[in-house]
Amino acid sequence: MSIQDRLLERINALGGDVAVANPRDALELLQATRLPLPLYPAPRNTPWASADEQEPIFGISEFIAAQPANAANDRAALLRDVQAHYYAATEELRGQVDFRLQRFTPFVEGSDDYVEWAGGDDLDTVYLEEITGHATPELLFIGFSEGYPNHHFMCVADADQLNPPVYSTDHEQYLSDISRCGTLQEWLASFMTPAELLQRVNDALDRDSPSPV
């Protein structure tokens, strides 16, 4: 399977769709992408807890405990309730990332960002080049979150590739502390599809259920 096919498949699995069948590059792909559902980062193994020991979404245990389908031991109905609740538009803060495109052009003379950011004078171009390979990049933000990190982005200069690097930064250390998130494919893979969330919930319920005597 080609990288293009993998990207399209992952976007579809996350609940999105792409309006072009054969995007030339990441920019065309993302501009044609509609991803209306929340993106939830998958739990990762840490020194203090394995991924399976963590709540896949903050507060989901309380939600499950409060559902009538849980009390009735109706697993299928419970999983439908979980998907309907978590994969719908919401303003509730659950650690989700919202897919949204926004260009940031502090170094592009004549742009609104250039005026607001004084031509990028407050940005550390040496650090930007060290991390991204571009001293004065034009950025394309692709994801926003109320949790850490707040912003996910790529460099427009890299978007002529189909699978460019993705980065993240937080509003408190805006572009002065940048994390590498891997490639676009790896960034998309870092979020749970609805099917993957339901599998995690189902596995957790199996572990918590008493074995039949």
Side-chain angles (χ1 to χ4, degrees), residues 19-201:
V20 294
N22 296 293
R24 298 183 303 271
D25 52 35
L27 189 58
E28 184 178 23
L29 170 73
L30 293 171
Q31 288 175 334
T33 294
R34 190 182 70 93
L35 244 178
L37 303 181
L39 300 173
Y40 297 103
R44 295 183 295 179
N45 293 328
T46 67
W48 52 87
S50 69
D52 289 341
E53 294 172 328
Q54 302 172 50
E55 275 193 313
I57 299 173
F58 177 76
I60 195 171
S61 299
E62 288 78 6
F63 172 82
I64 288 172
Q67 298 311 298
N70 185 53
N73 291 318
D74 188 338
R75 180 74 61 87
L78 178 59
L79 294 177
R80 287 195 297 271
D81 291 343
V82 168
Q83 179 164 350
H85 181 73
Y86 285 99
Y87 286 97
T90 181
E91 295 184 2
E92 184 179 343
L93 303 184
R94 302 169 180 162
Q96 71 270 30
V97 172
D98 295 318
F99 175 80
R100 190 169 75 251
L101 300 186
Q102 180 180 319
R103 289 211 184 200
F104 181 54
T105 57
F107 302 108
V108 178
E109 191 170 351
S111 68
D112 291 342
D113 292 329
Y114 183 89
V115 174
E116 182 178 352
W117 287 80
D121 283 350
D122 291 335
L123 298 175
D124 186 342
T125 56
V126 174
Y127 176 72
L128 284 170
E129 185 170 25
E130 176 187 340
I131 300 299
T132 70
H134 307 285
T136 57
E138 180 179 350
L139 305 183
L140 178 66
F141 287 103
I142 59 176
F144 295 85
S145 174
E146 293 298 326
Y148 178 89
N150 301 113
H151 308 284
H152 302 251
F153 66 92
M154 65 177 58
C155 298
V156 172
D158 295 332
D160 60 350
Q161 310 169 38
L162 195 54
N163 195 27
V166 175
Y167 308 90
S168 65
T169 190
D170 195 62
H171 73 281
E172 293 185 356
Q173 295 176 301
Y174 193 64
L175 297 177
S176 64
D177 185 11
I178 298 172
S179 297
R180 296 181 176 92
C181 303
T183 63
L184 177 59
Q185 181 185 359
E186 290 168 332
W187 182 76
L188 291 169
S190 72
F191 301 106
M192 294 179 288
T193 67
E196 289 166 351
L197 172 63
L198 296 185
Q199 186 62 59
R200 287 181 179 275
V201 170

